[in-house]
Amino acid sequence: MLSKASIRGILRAVPRSLIRDSSLGFYCVFRELFKASGFHNISHGHLRNYGGILRPFVEAQCMSRPCYFPLMPRLNMFGSFSICRKWLLVRYMSNASIELKTENDVVRFSISKRRDKNGKGLPTQVKKGTKRLKMSRKAKVNELRLYRLKAKKKMNSPNPEVRIRYKLDKAKRKETWLVEKLRKYEVAKAPAEKYDPEILTEEEKHYLKRMGEKKKNYVPVGRRGVFGGVVLNMHLHWKKHETVKVVCKPCKPGKIHEYAEELTRLSKGIVIDIKHNNTIIFYRGKNYLQPEIMSPPDTLSKDKAMEKYRYEQSLEHTSEFIEKLENELEEYHKHVAKYKERKEHAEFG
């Protein structure tokens, strides 16, 4: 071990001109320390065996001026041209700093954290998490079996509140899942094209209404609702007829007006009359021109419309079931409160 006094003497022995260069100064200090510790026979050829010891000094932070080629003859004075050349060439490759600590009469070299140019510590690299191991088939079966046993235990619980809450939580999870599914079927509406809506007199409307009632051509709107195929059929009917009937079955109360507005926007037709039997009479217009694309791009296909209808129906039934369970839970709490009141009244009465 070296004492503090011996280390001070070694540092004084190193020339000031060499200490200005950080990498050269470290090498000189390191060489002198080895000599003082008793390693006098380390030559240039034997330094290759101490690669592990010298490797930390390669990442030394250098705050001095850039490396110049005139320094190379100075390095030959110490017989370590190859090692110091590596230090000088990589002096700007890393920004870690090396500190010489002398605590309890023990010399230690410590490498501090990496720092940027302003002296602030750089964020450490976070190791990527290990890949999740694939579960075997037996493990999956056991996990599902455990889940089913827990669910069965809650369903067969003697406490009614546990049973109701289990069904309620399950229904709410399903409702959230259905809402996320329906978001995929939302189609962005295309910007409305400018067109001149034709103004019809009362006599013209009456004539078109009677003509639409007499004719038998119609377009059905079923459970899929309004999609691209409905608008396409309307344009195909308008090839030979001025009016067309749109029959909506099944149709919920108030839904017929929504269908009328949507078809007016997509087909650019004119609504002549809406009948009580969920039938709409459309007029194509006096200056009607058949569009090149008769099925608008901002509508769903036939299959997608059917999928959307199924999710909407499931969501409607789930919402009704949730409302029913909430009412049951509320009634159960009222029943428990009444039972407690009777019990207290019987005890104190």
Side-chain angles (χ1 to χ4, degrees):
M1 297 294 176
L2 295 175
S3 62
K4 291 184 180 180
S6 59
I7 292 167
R8 292 194 193 98
I10 291 167
L11 293 174
R12 288 171 187 170
V14 177
R16 295 292 179 186
S17 60
L18 297 180
I19 292 176
R20 290 173 188 172
D21 195 296
S22 61
S23 58
L24 187 59
F26 269 114
Y27 171 74
C28 296
V29 172
F30 186 73
R31 187 181 179 87
E32 293 295 331
L33 287 172
F34 261 78
K35 285 183 180 180
S37 302
F39 300 97
H40 299 284
N41 299 324
I42 299 177
S43 62
H44 174 67
H46 292 91
L47 282 172
R48 296 176 185 175
N49 300 328
Y50 296 90
I53 299 172
L54 298 176
R55 193 175 293 113
F57 296 104
V58 175
E59 298 182 356
Q61 184 180 7
C62 299
M63 306 302 295
S64 63
R65 59 188 180 279
C67 176
Y68 297 110
F69 285 100
L71 290 173
M72 295 302 177
R74 293 162 60 187
L75 297 176
N76 287 328
M77 297 165 55
F78 298 94
S80 59
F81 175 75
S82 61
I83 295 174
C84 291
R85 180 177 60 183
K86 291 179 182 178
W87 289 349
L88 292 172
L89 291 178
V90 299
R91 59 190 299 181
Y92 290 102
M93 287 178 64
S94 175
N95 51 9
S97 59
I98 300 174
E99 298 178 0
L100 182 64
K101 293 183 179 180
T102 56
E103 297 177 359
N104 301 326
D105 295 335
V106 178
V107 179
R108 290 191 181 92
F109 288 93
S110 65
I111 301 174
S112 63
K113 295 181 180 179
R114 298 169 64 85
R115 300 181 179 277
D116 56 5
K117 294 181 180 179
N118 299 327
K120 296 181 180 180
L122 295 175
T124 56
Q125 295 181 355
V126 180
K127 294 183 179 180
K128 293 182 179 179
T130 56
K131 292 183 179 179
R132 187 178 178 182
L133 297 175
K134 291 184 178 180
M135 295 176 65
S136 62
R137 185 179 177 183
K138 188 176 180 181
K140 290 180 181 178
V141 170
N142 292 337
E143 187 177 359
L144 291 172
R145 189 179 296 169
L146 181 64
Y147 176 75
R148 292 190 190 110
L149 287 172
K150 288 181 178 179
K152 191 175 180 181
K153 187 177 179 181
K154 290 180 180 178
M155 285 292 293
N156 300 331
S157 175
N159 189 353
E161 186 177 1
V162 174
R163 296 198 300 268
I164 295 171
R165 286 194 180 278
Y166 170 72
K167 293 178 185 178
L168 188 62
D169 294 341
K170 191 176 179 181
K172 286 182 177 179
R173 287 198 302 269
K174 186 179 179 181
E175 187 183 26
T176 307
W177 178 77
L178 288 169
V179 170
E180 290 177 359
K181 279 286 184 183
L182 284 171
R183 284 177 185 170
K184 297 179 181 179
Y185 297 96
E186 293 178 359
V187 183
K189 292 183 180 180
E193 298 179 3
K194 293 182 179 180
Y195 71 99
D196 296 329
E198 299 177 10
I199 300 173
L200 300 174
T201 62
E202 293 297 327
E203 294 178 355
E204 289 174 339
K205 284 184 179 180
H206 179 72
Y207 167 75
L208 292 170
K209 178 182 176 182
R210 293 295 298 272
M211 184 173 62
E213 288 175 352
K214 287 181 180 179
K215 287 189 177 181
K216 296 181 179 180
N217 59 316
Y218 72 97
V219 175
V221 175
R223 24 181 210 177
R224 292 180 178 86
V226 177
F227 63 100
V230 176
V231 184
L232 173 65
N233 289 335
M234 290 176 69
H235 284 295
L236 292 175
H237 279 282
W238 281 339
K239 252 184 177 181
K240 297 181 181 180
H241 305 279
E242 289 184 351
T243 60
V244 63
K245 288 188 286 188
V246 178
V247 181
C248 306
K249 288 183 181 179
C251 188
K252 297 177 182 178
K255 199 76 174 176
I256 187 73
H257 296 282
E258 294 181 11
Y259 287 159
E261 292 177 4
E262 189 71 11
L263 289 170
T264 303
R265 182 183 68 85
L266 294 170
S267 64
K268 306 295 185 296
I270 302 170
V271 178
I272 301 299
D273 189 25
I274 299 175
K275 294 190 169 295
H276 64 278
N277 59 347
N278 296 329
T279 303
I280 312 168
I281 299 175
F282 276 95
Y283 173 54
R284 68 181 184 181
K286 297 175 183 177
N287 305 320
Y288 171 73
L289 292 174
Q290 193 177 50
E292 296 180 359
I293 302 173
M294 290 186 285
S295 181
D298 57 340
T299 54
L300 295 172
S301 63
K302 188 176 181 180
D303 296 337
K304 294 287 184 182
M306 189 63 188
E307 291 175 8
K308 183 181 179 182
Y309 164 73
R310 286 174 179 169
Y311 285 127
E312 285 177 346
Q313 194 176 25
S314 180
L315 180 62
E316 183 182 355
H317 294 164
T318 306
S319 301
E320 292 176 359
F321 185 62
I322 288 171
E323 188 177 356
K324 179 183 175 183
L325 289 173
E326 287 176 348
N327 293 334
E328 285 183 10
L329 189 62
E330 188 176 355
E331 289 177 2
Y332 173 74
H333 286 317
K334 288 180 181 178
H335 173 72
V336 171
K338 286 181 180 178
Y339 177 75
K340 286 182 178 179
E341 285 180 4
R342 289 177 185 175
K343 192 176 180 180
E344 290 175 359
H345 184 70
E347 288 178 357
F348 296 102

